[in-house]
Amino acid sequence: MKQGTQGSAGTTGEAAAGTTRYRVPAQPAAGEADRCRDTAAGPAGGDGGGSARGEHTHGEPALPRPRPAVQRSSVRGQVLAALRTALVTGDLRPGEVYSGPVLAERFGVSATPVREAMQQLAQEGAVEVVPNRGFRVVERSARELAELAEVRALIEVPVMLRLARTVPPERWAGLRPLAEATVRAASSGCRATYAEADRAFHSAVLALAGNRQLVGVAEELHRRAQWPLVGGGAPGGGSRAELIADAHEHTALLDALIAGDLDVIRSLVGEHFNGAE
């Protein structure tokens, strides 16, 4: 789900933030709808913006500072979360270059937490550093998405089948709220909201194996599978109807896990990963 349109590239070749509204995650008192609201509420408490060393900013349009919304101690984390949301929704477009100072102006913070968050995304493979310019969003192909789905299936399917034989039905039933949360998130039509609910459900299932390393690796693969393709296409489609269909696979899978029906579990998980969600 797009939250706006990107501006045109500046004279340095960097993608300007234009009118796109990058969202910082809602504070605890805010409702879930804030995750996809097209109003920016950038991190407060920055130390006055400023250009990143070596990044050219001339020619890039100035942007108004969003209203303060978060606490200084969590600026980097909230900027990182907002950037991840922008990747999922396609607000940060594959192949485009974004400078730290422009994004910092959008969030109303200094360039430092933005650069730190972008460096984290670079480690995760979402962006790559472009010397003296900023960060380019990595262009992903349908083949890469298929490879990620295959790896996820190789990891998660055997674990789920093993857990289906050993975990009692009441433990599976305890995951019902998470499965239902994915349906509500899908009904909102917001890819960012659904992406979080989707990862939460899968992580909770795998957590029953008692292996934190497994959960961490699976979460990283899952997050990568949710980034947009070249041209802004969403993995697995991305329409509201497709998100809802994908979410209902969670509830069907949970029913099969409670029943211990291994054949249905194997079939459902295979279909689920083929949809790249």
Side-chain angles (χ1 to χ4, degrees):
M1 170 178 161
K2 299 279 185 174
Q3 295 298 318
T5 57
Q6 289 291 342
S8 59
T11 57
T12 61
E14 297 168 293
T19 57
T20 299
R21 301 290 189 174
Y22 298 117
R23 301 166 311 285
V24 170
Q27 296 305 289
E32 181 180 80
D34 290 337
R35 301 290 297 144
C36 285
R37 185 174 301 161
D38 192 22
T39 56
D47 47 7
S51 299
R53 182 176 300 173
E55 293 181 359
H56 302 296
T57 61
H58 54 274
E60 298 184 37
L63 295 173
R65 292 174 64 89
R67 61 179 177 81
V70 300
Q71 311 218 342
R72 179 73 180 102
S73 60
S74 62
V75 168
R76 178 187 175 279
Q78 298 226 17
V79 168
L80 177 60
L83 290 171
R84 283 173 169 165
T85 294
L87 282 168
V88 172
T89 60
D91 286 343
L92 292 181
R93 296 184 297 181
E96 295 286 358
V97 177
Y98 298 86
S99 72
V102 168
L103 292 174
E105 182 70 18
R106 174 67 270 168
F107 292 131
V109 300
S110 72
T112 299
V114 174
R115 288 199 305 270
E116 291 174 348
M118 279 297 204
Q119 290 289 351
Q120 176 63 39
L121 291 177
Q123 292 178 17
E124 296 174 4
V127 302
E128 57 188 9
V129 178
V130 181
N132 299 322
R133 292 181 61 194
F135 302 86
R136 177 183 291 112
V137 178
V138 172
E139 298 182 273
R140 301 171 58 249
S141 65
R143 177 175 179 176
E144 181 181 351
L145 181 64
E147 290 173 347
L148 284 168
E150 181 180 5
V151 175
R152 287 187 62 206
L154 289 172
I155 293 175
E156 296 192 35
V157 173
V159 174
M160 288 188 184
L161 291 174
R162 174 166 60 85
L163 292 175
R165 298 184 182 97
T166 59
V167 174
E170 58 271 18
R171 293 285 302 278
W172 291 121
L175 301 185
R176 181 73 64 184
L178 290 175
E180 293 174 347
T182 67
V183 176
R184 292 194 301 273
S187 297
S188 75
C190 175
R191 282 201 61 82
T193 301
Y194 180 70
E196 289 188 2
D198 186 30
R199 289 197 307 273
F201 174 78
H202 280 265
S203 295
V205 169
L206 295 178
L208 294 176
N211 187 328
R212 289 182 295 179
Q213 299 302 317
L214 167 69
V215 174
V217 169
E219 282 186 349
E220 180 179 352
L221 290 170
H222 197 166
R223 191 183 299 280
R224 288 173 181 246
Q226 292 172 328
W227 297 335
L229 302 175
V230 173
S239 71
R240 182 173 177 273
E242 288 166 324
L243 293 182
I244 291 174
D246 189 83
H248 280 298
E249 290 179 1
H250 293 142
T251 57
L253 174 61
L254 191 57
D255 290 338
L257 287 167
I258 291 173
D261 192 330
L262 300 184
D263 290 336
V264 173
I265 293 169
R266 189 179 292 107
S267 175
L268 283 172
V269 175
E271 293 177 3
H272 198 62
F273 287 137
N274 286 335
E277 287 293 353

